[in-house]
Amino acid sequence: AQTVTQSQPEMSVQEAETVTLSCTYDTSENNYYLFWYKQPPSRQMILVIRQEAYKQQNATENRFSVNFQKAAKSFSLKISDSQLGDTAMYFCAFMKFSGTYKYIFGTGTRLKVLA
Amino acid sequence: NAGVTQTPKFRILKIGQSMTLQCTQDMNHNYMYWYRQDPGMGLKLIYYSVGAGITDKGEVPNGYNVSRSTTEDFPLRLELAAPSQTSVYFCASSPVELGKNIQYFGAGTRLSVL
């Protein structure tokens, strides 16, 4: 069975600085997807970034980038130039490459961006 | 531009009451999911559906039932509400095409059972 671990329950960062959120996972699958979702106080889950395991290149989306280490089963999220609107819960999620497209979520990291 | 719509947004139930949480998506997605999120925890899958007429259990199905009579709708039924079912419930949908497997979430339903 797959598991996803986020070891940082809470983090804070000063506005305009960079922060990295950690995620590790355990799987015997070779092909899979990894995701970071953001959940602001409004509760709406929003996709931040996605990584396919077969791609060696790390995904980037504007100020968000990942450091995907397949051998180490690590998938960290880097937020550059942090903004107050980045304050939210961040969830790491795993999905097998085939089958029923079910997510396995981590327990989340609460990020607070300080003015 | 509705996406995934959940109703109601909030509900308080008494122990033993029943209710249905509604979920509708207008993106013609085959896959739909129900999750619950307990305080300080990640989302846990309750039930999912891979298409109209097909449903299956997730991690935490006890105390819940679902149906999928149309592509658009995926209601979640609580038959005998218990305090352990106090949670925030999220519905999500996803297209089936490989490479387009992002899940789109509704805004959630906060349920309290007292």
Side-chain angles (χ1 to χ4, degrees):
Chain A
Q2 290 81 21
T3 59
V4 177
T5 302
Q6 293 180 249
S7 58
Q8 304 153 314
E10 292 187 3
M11 296 188 73
S12 62
V13 62
Q14 288 295 134
E15 198 176 6
E17 297 199 340
T18 296
V19 64
T20 299
L21 280 58
S22 301
C23 174
T24 59
Y25 58 94
D26 189 24
T27 184
S28 58
E29 302 284 329
N30 190 45
N31 291 320
Y32 48 87
Y33 295 92
L34 295 163
F35 304 83
W36 279 99
Y37 273 86
K38 170 184 176 181
Q39 187 182 41
S42 67
R43 296 203 314 244
Q44 185 82 46
M45 296 280 281
I46 303 164
L47 178 69
V48 175
I49 200 164
R50 181 182 73 161
Q51 174 80 41
E52 291 91 341
Y54 62 85
K55 290 186 177 179
Q56 292 188 339
Q57 187 173 6
N58 289 325
T60 62
E61 285 287 342
N62 301 315
R63 298 182 295 107
F64 299 89
S65 61
V66 299
N67 183 5
F68 174 50
Q69 302 287 330
K70 190 172 184 180
K73 297 180 181 174
S74 171
F75 183 60
S76 60
L77 175 70
K78 185 171 84 170
I79 306 174
S80 304
D81 186 25
S82 297
Q83 301 175 359
L84 295 177
D86 295 333
T87 293
M89 281 288 285
Y90 287 81
F91 291 98
C92 180
F94 169 97
M95 178 191 291
K96 286 198 301 185
F97 202 71
S98 62
T100 52
Y101 299 96
K102 292 185 286 184
Y103 279 176
I104 305 295
F105 282 92
T107 52
T109 296
R110 185 177 302 279
L111 177 67
K112 188 168 186 178
V113 180
L114 307 171
Chain B
N1 199 21
V4 179
T5 302
Q6 290 183 238
T7 56
K9 287 186 167 43
F10 305 94
R11 184 72 185 266
I12 298 174
L13 282 182
K14 293 182 179 178
I15 294 171
Q17 285 186 321
S18 62
M19 78 163 293
T20 299
L21 281 65
Q22 302 291 346
C23 176
T24 299
Q25 53 96 4
D26 62 359
M27 298 174 282
N28 201 33
H29 288 169
N30 282 11
Y31 286 73
M32 295 188 75
Y33 309 82
W34 273 107
Y35 295 91
R36 60 177 286 172
Q37 183 181 27
D38 298 327
M41 302 296 289
L43 281 69
K44 291 193 180 298
L45 185 64
I46 305 171
Y47 270 96
Y48 65 99
S49 169
V50 302
I54 306 170
T55 63
D56 206 349
K57 296 177 180 178
E59 296 176 77
V60 289
N62 291 344
Y64 306 95
N65 278 300
V66 294
S67 59
R68 184 97 182 270
S69 57
T70 66
T71 298
E72 295 78 20
D73 300 308
F74 190 41
L76 178 71
R77 178 99 180 142
L78 284 70
E79 290 294 350
L80 290 171
S84 61
Q85 293 177 306
T86 293
S87 191
V88 180
Y89 292 83
F90 289 96
C91 179
S93 71
S94 178
V96 73
E97 307 100 282
L98 195 61
K100 295 185 179 179
N101 51 12
I102 297 165
Q103 291 191 11
Y104 297 83
F105 286 82
T109 295
R110 183 178 296 277
L111 176 67
S112 294
V113 182
L114 305 175

